[in-house]
Amino acid sequence: MSKPLTGKVALVTGGSRGLGAATVRLLAEQGADVAFTYVSSAKQAQAVVDEVHGKGAKAFAFRSDQADTSRAPALIDDVVAHFGGLDILVNNAAISVAGTVDDPDADTAALDRMHATNYLGVIAVIRAASRVLRTGGRIITVSSGLGSRVGAPGLADYAATKSGIERYTMGVARDLGPRNITANVVEAGLMEGGMEPPDPETLKVLVGSLSLQRMGHPDEIAAAIAFLASPTASYVTGAVLDAHGGYNA
Ligand SMILES: NC(=O)c1ccc[n+]([C@@H]2O[C@H](COP(=O)([O-])OP(=O)(O)OC[C@H]3O[C@@H](n4cnc5c(N)ncnc54)[C@H](OP(=O)(O)O)[C@@H]3O)[C@@H](O)[C@H]2O)c1
């Protein structure tokens, strides 16, 4: 495989599992030194690090709770101290909490933690990273097809977090464009082996609404992220790349 990311340093939030782990592996295969975060899966994070090292590339895992926005500046400082700089930020870490807005038993604490993790936490990391990203830098925000169309009941809060970070990323493209830093969104689709899927009935509705009529594999979404991280995508900014099997087609 060619290594278009040689000499680049990447930070992938939430790299211990699912799409984040697939992205860590792919960016490392393409030559980047890859830092990533996790919050509770220390063993899985170490397994990802070991796998990358086994292939002769560099990765380092930082435990950093994205719901705690005060952690973001220290996280970025740690990445720079470890790898010497930062070129690529992939905002991947997120959680999913479902429930209709009129549910009297809604777990509002869990919903609030989702808003903190998926929205405020992403903003805090982007703000901190923007201080140090080098020219030619890349910010890639992982959203969801639900960021532009909700499509089923019980997903209002999750969809709102994704829609919010999409718009924020567009603003980032405007703010950092003069520094030759791009900012784009990947709208991921339902993935095998990723976060807890919605209830079976909702899952059936969502998969049935896809052009490809199947869930995606994390590697298929990671490929879209790697494209936006690559030198090839130098004139792509403020864009939304749909990698969700044709949810909007
Ligand atoms: N799975 C899907 O079907 C789907 C569909 C559309 C979009 N997406 C989006 O794709 C992205 C990845 O989803 P996924 O399915 O790969 O998720 P996942 O398998 O549940 O993995 C989530 C990752 O985020 C980390 N994380 C969660 N909360 C965190 C926090 N507070 N601080 C730091 N790290 C945290 C987890 O760390 P720990 O391992 O330590 O918990 C883990 O590494 C998300 O942005 C999600 O919204 C997913």
Side-chain angles (χ1 to χ4, degrees):
M1 175 181 274
S2 71
K3 296 190 183 293
L5 301 181
T6 301
K8 304 290 185 190
V9 176
L11 168 61
V12 178
T13 62
S16 50
R17 298 184 277 124
L19 174 59
T23 303
V24 170
R25 290 187 198 102
L26 185 54
L27 298 186
E29 270 174 34
Q30 296 190 352
D33 296 341
V34 187
F36 68 89
T37 63
Y38 67 97
V39 65
S40 55
S41 306
K43 275 191 184 165
Q44 282 169 282
Q46 191 55 49
V48 173
V49 169
D50 291 345
E51 191 184 335
V52 170
H53 285 178
K55 290 181 177 165
K58 288 187 195 156
F60 196 90
F62 294 93
R63 186 183 180 285
S64 184
D65 182 356
Q66 189 165 287
D68 177 1
T69 55
S70 70
R71 270 286 305 149
L75 167 66
I76 299 300
D77 289 348
D78 288 348
V79 172
V80 171
H82 191 84
F83 280 131
L86 183 63
D87 302 283
I88 299 161
L89 169 64
V90 180
N91 298 300
N92 167 76
I95 56 174
S96 168
V97 182
T100 58
V101 295
D102 57 355
D103 178 359
D105 301 320
D107 184 346
T108 53
L111 289 165
D112 288 354
R113 182 168 168 81
M114 176 172 67
H115 283 278
T117 306
N118 296 11
Y119 181 66
L120 293 175
V122 173
I123 290 172
V125 173
I126 291 175
R127 280 182 182 150
S130 69
R131 293 185 286 111
V132 301
L133 272 169
R134 296 188 278 227
T135 185
R138 301 278 191 268
I139 295 176
I140 298 133
T141 296
V142 178
S143 179
S144 156
L146 275 57
S148 56
R149 188 170 74 86
V150 180
L155 300 168
D157 287 84
Y158 177 78
T161 66
K162 291 304 187 183
S163 179
I165 57 167
E166 287 199 15
R167 232 26 54 206
Y168 194 86
T169 301
M170 297 302 123
V172 171
R174 289 285 179 182
D175 288 354
L176 302 188
R179 285 169 51 196
N180 192 27
I181 293 168
T182 67
N184 293 288
V185 168
V186 170
E187 278 197 359
L190 287 164
M191 271 177 283
E192 300 154 9
M195 58 180 38
E196 190 69 23
D199 66 84
E201 196 48 44
T202 305
L203 184 63
K204 205 173 146 193
V205 171
L206 290 173
V207 172
S209 73
L210 302 177
S211 301
L212 293 179
Q213 297 280 297
R214 66 169 176 85
M215 294 173 80
H217 188 279
D219 290 346
E220 295 178 294
I221 321 282
I225 295 170
F227 163 68
L228 290 169
S230 74
T232 311
S234 54
Y235 203 60
V236 181
T237 196
V240 178
L241 177 49
D242 292 351
H244 48 47
Y247 182 57
N248 289 333

